[in-house]
Amino acid sequence: MKKSDGKWASIMALITTLFSPACNSRDRILERNEKPLSAAYANFQELDEKYKSEDFEVKLICEAEGYPNPIHVFPSVNKQWIIRADAGKDEETKNDMIFYKLNSDGNLTDTIFTPYKGHWPELIGNFMIFTSAKDSYYNTWPLDGDTTKQTFKVLNTDLAWSAEKVEKQIKDAKLTAAYWFLKDVRENRAHYVQFYYYQDKQWQMLWQKLPGYHNVKDNETAARYTEEAFRTGEYNSYLPENVSFLHFHPLEKLSYRHNIGGGDPGFSTINWRGKAFFSTKIDGKDFLFFEPNVSVENERFDGNKNRFYSISGPGASSNIFTPFFYTVPNSYAFYTSNRNKLYLIKKKTT
């Protein structure tokens, strides 16, 4: 038995010796590019909060630290912009939010923190609306920064109105109210609708009891009044139309993985990683930047379009890299390539 054990040990040692270099090579730099970067791209900078320019100002205006929900950007009243981001950092605070307000020059003018207490804030015109089955209120923070809680005028609280009167009130309000929306409520196996509407410069809420469950449609919700202009966390292997790919400077050849998902184990590929150089226009002027640690792929199946992936190191999983810009006409731009970060870029004034 001892001779047999020794024989198998020798065989296993030989197999390990033969295959270890091949396995390890997948986690090393396979080749390095010694050619210098073209002088035409020497002054490009990475696009982050350290970006310095005589022509542009780059600010990290929002960074979500906790839960991975997108950062949203909304146009608002008085040519303002409102940004909504997660403020939660743990399980207890995961539904908390923070809102930022920017003026037409791109300057931060106000913030409001909204801890989650069963109320989901909605932006409707001049108002920030908070609704729940038992406690609803609003403020005028979007318009004037006032965070004072204001209550709705509540109708039919005791459900004494006839069904016909309730239906008529809802029908008339839908025709004449500046805003209206529904919220379904279930209590003690009974079904209700809260009908909210803004009419004659006053927010009101009407209770309606229903014989069964009412499915509130998308075109009946408060969310339909919130126009979203931009969000982080969007991914596309191809460049947006307002971004041009200028040059790729390879630095090292390595192996990395593509994770397909859906139970598929994915696959590995070998490619060059380096700096990718891009341009876009902000307020009519060229804005130039590069992204480090990028691999560029292209294949026949899509007409050899360039696809961009961030690679943290040898053997790592690839992440789609997409530089998204949302340009406010004749003004600044919002930028993101990361779900948790939002930048503002604007030309410097002389």
Side-chain angles (χ1 to χ4, degrees), residues 280-310:
T280 188
K281 284 190 179 294
I282 297 176
D283 199 7
K285 190 174 184 64
D286 289 336
F287 180 83
L288 311 174
F289 66 101
F290 79 82
E291 180 70 15
N293 303 320
V294 168
S295 286
V296 185
E297 298 183 10
N298 49 67
E299 298 179 56
R300 292 182 184 177
F301 77 89
D302 60 356
N304 293 107
K305 294 181 180 179
N306 291 315
R307 303 187 308 280
F308 302 87
Y309 299 94
S310 294

Side-chain angles (χ1 to χ4, degrees), residues 202-260:
Q202 184 176 50
W203 272 106
Q204 304 179 63
M205 189 268 281
L206 170 65
W207 279 94
Q208 180 183 31
K209 188 173 182 179
L210 300 175
Y213 171 69
H214 173 79
N215 180 32
V216 177
K217 301 175 183 177
D218 290 344
N219 64 357
E220 298 175 323
T221 66
R224 75 185 191 276
Y225 291 112
T226 304
E227 178 188 352
E228 181 181 278
F230 188 58
R231 69 164 64 183
T232 65
E234 299 293 301
Y235 298 102
N236 192 324
S237 301
Y238 307 114
L239 281 183
E241 292 183 359
N242 61 349
V243 180
S244 298
F245 173 48
L246 304 178
H247 179 66
F248 177 70
H249 181 68
L251 292 174
E252 59 263 326
K253 183 180 285 188
L254 45 71
S255 171
Y256 56 88
R257 292 188 58 77
H258 283 293
N259 292 326
I260 300 175

Side-chain angles (χ1 to χ4, degrees), residues 56-76:
F56 292 98
E57 180 182 359
V58 177
K59 293 181 180 178
L60 176 62
I61 56 171
C62 180
E63 182 173 11
E65 300 179 15
Y67 285 75
N69 293 315
I71 300 168
H72 300 259
V73 180
F74 310 102
S76 187

Side-chain angles (χ1 to χ4, degrees), residues 42-114:
N43 293 324
F44 280 56
Q45 299 178 63
E46 184 178 352
L47 209 178
D48 58 19
E49 53 269 37
K50 298 177 183 178
Y51 192 102
K52 301 296 181 184
S53 167
E54 294 182 356
D55 299 317
F56 292 98
E57 180 182 359
V58 177
K59 293 181 180 178
L60 176 62
I61 56 171
C62 180
E63 182 173 11
E65 300 179 15
Y67 285 75
N69 293 315
I71 300 168
H72 300 259
V73 180
F74 310 102
S76 187
V77 294
N78 299 331
K79 297 182 179 180
Q80 300 174 123
W81 295 84
I82 290 178
I83 301 166
R84 185 185 73 199
D86 285 348
K89 298 181 180 180
D90 52 36
E91 189 66 24
E92 184 178 348
T93 63
K94 68 179 181 180
N95 292 314
D96 295 350
M97 295 181 181
I98 185 167
F99 292 78
Y100 304 82
K101 190 191 297 181
L102 305 179
N103 64 15
S104 58
D105 294 323
N107 297 319
L108 178 65
T109 59
D110 202 359
T111 63
I112 181 173
F113 171 70
T114 59

Side-chain angles (χ1 to χ4, degrees), residues 174-190:
K174 284 183 177 180
L175 293 174
T176 59
Y179 310 108
W180 66 265
F181 62 92
L182 302 179
K183 188 177 182 69
D184 69 280
V185 177
R186 280 163 281 182
E187 289 185 348
N188 301 322
R189 298 184 179 181

